[in-house]
Amino acid sequence: MKQILIVDDVPDNIYFLEVLLRGNAFKVVSALNGVEALAYARENPPDLVISDILMPVMDGYALCREWRMDEQLKMIPFIFYTATFTEKKDEELALSLGAVRFLVKPQEPDALMACILDVLADTSVRDNISPPEATTDETGLLKEYNEALFRKLEKKMLDLERANSELELGIAEQKRLEEQLRQAQKMEAVGRFSAGIAHDFNNILTVIIGYGDMMRMKCAMDGKQRDMLDHVLEAADRAKSMTSSLLTFSRKQPLKLQQLNLNDAVLGVETFLRRVIGDDLTLAISTSSQHLHIMADRGHIEQVLMNLSVNARDAMPEGGTLSVETAVINIDNEYISMHGYGTLGRYALLTVSDTGIGMDASTCQQIFEPFFTTKESGKGTGLGLSIVFGIVQQHNGHIHVYSEPGQGTTFRILLPLTEKAEADFVPALQVVPPGGNETVLVVDNEESVREYIALFLTTMGYTVYQAANGEEAVNLFRQRSGEIALVLMDVIMPHKNGREAAIEIRAIDDSAKILFISGYPYDIISERHLMLENTELLMKPLAPSELALKVRQILDR
């Protein structure tokens, strides 16, 4: 069995040749460089050498030269098999050093084997092998050899530099994608968190707002008592806006846009902001003399002001001034070039600044990230400014922060002005909602919510039955199907959800009127297909007037 020596510093290349040659009944040995190859061959001379050129310790050219100068090895055929030295000059140098073949990687297995078998079978090849003649120009050969090696090393370095540059770009892109993934995961976490608290919080607010509004409508109170109740309901309304803002930020609830005057929105929360920041801070509000009409969700604009005010309050533990200003600004190319942000057009500018401790540049770059906070553990969620950023973006606006340590912080928010101003928002007069004498089945697993709705509807003249879950609702409807005119039912409940119960109720009476209520975000209900055809959904928290109007509206159809 003929023996072939493979010389290559790449294990994968050796493995490929070993598999090919052993499959053709050759004995195969290998070496990782010229020094190893010479040491082995002098002990166990092979029948053929297949060598790479560019290798550490001793390269292929040097090995071939030493091979031909060795009395024991000089008659053994030497084949170069290279992927780096591929030019005509490289081949000429290899043949001048005594190689019998010069092959460029990769070769088809059949072609490579044909060449190897040809070399081993051709006795003339062995007979014609001779060491470099003594008259060979050693200086010229060495120069040619060094030049070839230099060219390949230089090319190798350029390839490595190019590969390194591509690797750095790849790593940077990978980091960018990982950061996007982290942000997406954070947003998903916020979404799940907000959806979970929205349900429980909206149930609580339904009870607070519901009983509060009932007291306002039904109870005789003096001015002081009514003022106290108004404060309670105002705080509950703020809490409702907070939940709504969080859901909007996490894309769980759409915006409710209307045209409003930004000046009015700012002045409308002045009293509340003074309570938020406390008596040891000064609040200075300055509004533009022009009407700043924007398309916005009023509750979310108020949420932006509240979050920024809370942030400013925490940045001024020893007192200071919170300033809120509005103005009109025209953004042109010069403004965009100077500030690095913005889109051409006319904007309402909302500026909120404080005289607090300020922030460094690194902190400013991170403050809008979800869950990033500089506050002590337990004193901040890291969501306040993230919500502000999300709300501004959803209003097609821009937000910029400027701050320095010890110099306070300024937030500048740009909101697009509308083309044509409509009439300023005028609150509707509160009207006592209509009642009725029909029978309503109220279904909700939250007892406090169920009791409030039942009490309110009873005061409006309705007869009310109650059920704590879908299964109870179906049984009760089956017993009194001819009596119940409307089923007012929560969507997500134990022991049959609202949809499952509604299907069974419609099976008993296909004309049954059903009104769903829920504290969960609409997108969750929609994604899970929890609604039934020809039914409507009323979102919690349920104000009495809103509830009464919707109930009367469905009953009158």
Side-chain angles (χ1 to χ4, degrees):
M1 181 182 290
K2 290 186 180 294
Q3 176 179 263
I4 297 179
L5 172 61
I6 301 170
V7 191
D8 200 308
D9 62 326
V10 179
D12 287 346
N13 293 342
I14 293 175
Y15 176 75
F16 164 72
L17 289 174
E18 284 179 342
V19 171
L20 177 65
L21 295 171
R22 284 174 179 159
N24 284 273
F26 288 101
K27 179 182 179 182
V28 182
V29 292
S30 61
L32 295 174
N33 56 64
V35 172
E36 285 186 14
L38 283 172
Y40 177 83
R42 283 166 179 158
E43 293 291 330
N44 303 281
D47 295 291
L48 174 67
V49 182
I50 301 176
S51 177
D52 192 18
I53 296 179
L54 192 60
M55 297 179 292
V57 186
M58 178 186 285
D59 61 65
Y61 282 148
L63 171 61
C64 185
R65 194 164 185 277
E66 289 291 329
W67 197 272
R68 290 290 169 254
M69 299 297 291
D70 190 293
E71 289 295 327
Q72 185 183 5
L73 306 176
K74 65 183 181 181
M75 301 305 294
I76 298 173
F78 196 108
I79 295 177
F80 276 117
Y81 190 40
T82 177
T84 306
F85 290 72
T86 58
E87 298 177 9
K88 187 65 177 175
K89 286 184 178 182
D90 302 327
E91 182 179 2
E92 291 173 354
L93 176 58
L95 296 177
S96 71
L97 290 171
V100 297
R101 293 286 190 276
F102 184 87
L103 304 177
V104 176
K105 298 176 183 176
Q107 293 281 323
E108 289 294 328
D110 291 344
L112 180 58
M113 279 308 308
C115 178
I116 292 171
L117 293 172
D118 182 56
V119 169
L120 290 171
D122 190 353
T123 56
S124 64
V125 170
R126 186 179 296 271
D127 294 338
N128 291 329
I129 294 175
S130 60
E133 297 179 6
T135 57
T136 299
D137 184 354
E138 292 285 341
T139 302
L141 186 62
L142 184 61
K143 179 181 178 183
E144 187 177 351
Y145 164 71
N146 286 337
E147 285 178 351
L149 188 60
F150 178 79
R151 287 196 308 273
K152 298 310 169 186
L153 288 174
E154 186 176 49
K155 182 177 183 300
K156 201 75 171 179
M157 288 300 296
L158 289 173
D159 290 343
L160 286 173
E161 288 177 3
R162 188 180 301 110
N164 186 54
S165 177
E166 291 174 355
L167 181 60
E168 288 178 352
L169 290 174
I171 291 173
E173 177 65 11
Q174 181 70 20
K175 287 182 177 179
R176 187 183 68 81
L177 293 174
E178 288 175 356
E179 182 60 28
Q180 286 183 347
L181 176 61
R182 278 194 291 270
Q183 292 299 326
Q185 289 171 335
K186 286 180 181 180
M187 291 300 296
E188 180 62 24
V190 172
R192 291 181 181 180
F193 166 74
S194 61
I197 67 167
H199 172 260
D200 296 339
F201 207 48
N202 283 333
N203 278 334
I204 295 169
L205 289 174
T206 293
V207 176
I208 296 172
I209 294 173
Y211 283 116
D213 274 347
M214 284 175 63
M215 290 177 64
R216 179 186 277 167
M217 290 188 293
K218 303 290 185 180
C219 299
M221 293 179 284
D222 59 31
K224 186 175 182 180
Q225 290 172 328
R226 182 167 292 277
D227 186 52
M228 292 169 63
L229 179 60
D230 286 344
H231 286 324
V232 171
L233 291 175
E234 181 184 1
D237 196 52
R238 300 294 177 199
K240 176 182 175 182
S241 294
M242 286 176 63
T243 306
S244 178
S245 295
L246 188 58
L247 291 173
T248 301
F249 165 68
S250 59
R251 307 298 194 269
K252 298 292 181 183
Q253 180 171 294
L255 291 171
K256 296 178 181 177
L257 297 177
Q258 63 177 7
Q259 190 174 76
L260 58 87
N261 187 340
L262 180 60
N263 293 332
D264 293 341
V266 171
L267 295 173
V269 295
E270 180 178 1
T271 302
F272 185 76
L273 293 183
R274 291 190 187 280
R275 294 198 201 106
V276 167
I277 65 175
D279 296 333
D280 55 342
L281 297 179
T282 301
L283 175 63
I285 293 181
S286 175
T287 57
S288 170
S289 59
Q290 302 181 51
H291 291 300
L292 305 181
H293 292 283
I294 59 175
M295 291 301 297
D297 187 309
R298 179 179 291 270
H300 293 148
I301 296 301
E302 292 173 354
Q303 187 67 51
V304 166
L305 288 164
M306 186 180 75
N307 287 12
L308 292 178
S309 298
V310 169
N311 214 58
R313 179 198 64 194
D314 294 342
M316 297 184 287
E318 297 181 2
T321 300
L322 169 64
S323 301
V324 180
E325 301 177 11
T326 63
V328 176
I329 186 170
N330 288 302
I331 291 188
D332 53 19
N333 289 322
E334 183 179 352
Y335 181 96
I336 297 172
S337 176
M338 181 181 299
H339 294 85
Y341 67 92
T343 307
L344 297 176
R346 295 181 73 246
Y347 286 81
L349 172 63
L350 174 63
T351 304
V352 179
S353 57
D354 63 64
T355 57
I357 57 177
M359 300 175 287
D360 58 27
S362 175
T363 303
C364 286
Q365 291 178 353
Q366 302 177 74
I367 57 171
F368 296 122
E369 294 180 8
F371 303 119
F372 176 79
T373 180
T374 59
K375 298 174 185 178
E376 298 175 20
S377 178
K379 292 190 176 181
T381 63
L383 290 175
L385 292 178
S386 298
I387 290 173
V388 169
F389 183 81
I391 290 173
V392 171
Q393 280 201 321
Q394 287 179 297
H395 283 79
N396 297 317
H398 306 277
I399 183 169
H400 176 74
V401 59
Y402 176 77
S403 184
E404 291 184 16
Q407 300 299 314
T409 300
T410 297
F411 290 91
R412 289 166 56 89
I413 297 172
L414 301 174
L415 299 169
L417 289 170
T418 55
E419 291 289 334
K420 182 179 179 182
E422 298 175 0
D424 286 349
F425 173 77
V426 178
L429 293 175
Q430 194 167 31
V431 179
V432 177
N437 56 11
E438 295 91 343
T439 299
V440 179
L441 172 57
V442 177
V443 190
D444 199 301
N445 61 303
E446 283 288 335
E447 183 179 4
S448 58
V449 173
R450 192 171 67 246
E451 292 288 349
Y452 146 64
I453 296 174
L455 176 62
F456 172 66
L457 292 178
T458 300
T459 64
M460 300 304 294
Y462 297 102
T463 299
V464 179
Y465 293 115
Q466 298 184 45
N469 54 61
E471 192 171 328
E472 285 186 18
V474 173
N475 293 334
L476 193 54
F477 188 86
R478 184 178 290 112
Q479 296 168 18
R480 302 179 179 276
S481 60
E483 183 183 350
I484 296 173
L486 172 68
V487 179
L488 181 63
M489 182 160 51
D490 196 11
V491 175
I492 299 178
M493 299 178 293
H495 309 298
K496 282 193 180 70
N497 62 37
R499 185 176 191 278
E500 293 167 340
I503 291 173
E504 293 191 31
I505 288 171
R506 287 274 174 86
I508 299 169
D509 179 0
D510 60 5
S511 63
K513 295 179 178 179
I514 298 171
L515 173 61
F516 284 118
I517 57 175
S518 182
Y520 281 102
Y522 179 78
D523 76 313
I524 289 180
I525 296 169
S526 177
E527 287 171 5
R528 298 184 185 178
H529 305 290
L530 296 175
M531 292 285 289
L532 202 62
E533 289 184 8
N534 301 319
T535 58
E536 293 188 35
L537 176 66
L538 194 59
M539 301 303 296
K540 297 175 182 177
L542 304 172
S545 56
E546 180 185 16
L547 176 61
L549 288 169
K550 180 57 70 173
V551 166
R552 189 68 260 162
Q553 185 183 79
I554 292 179
L555 286 171
D556 289 342
R557 287 177 184 171

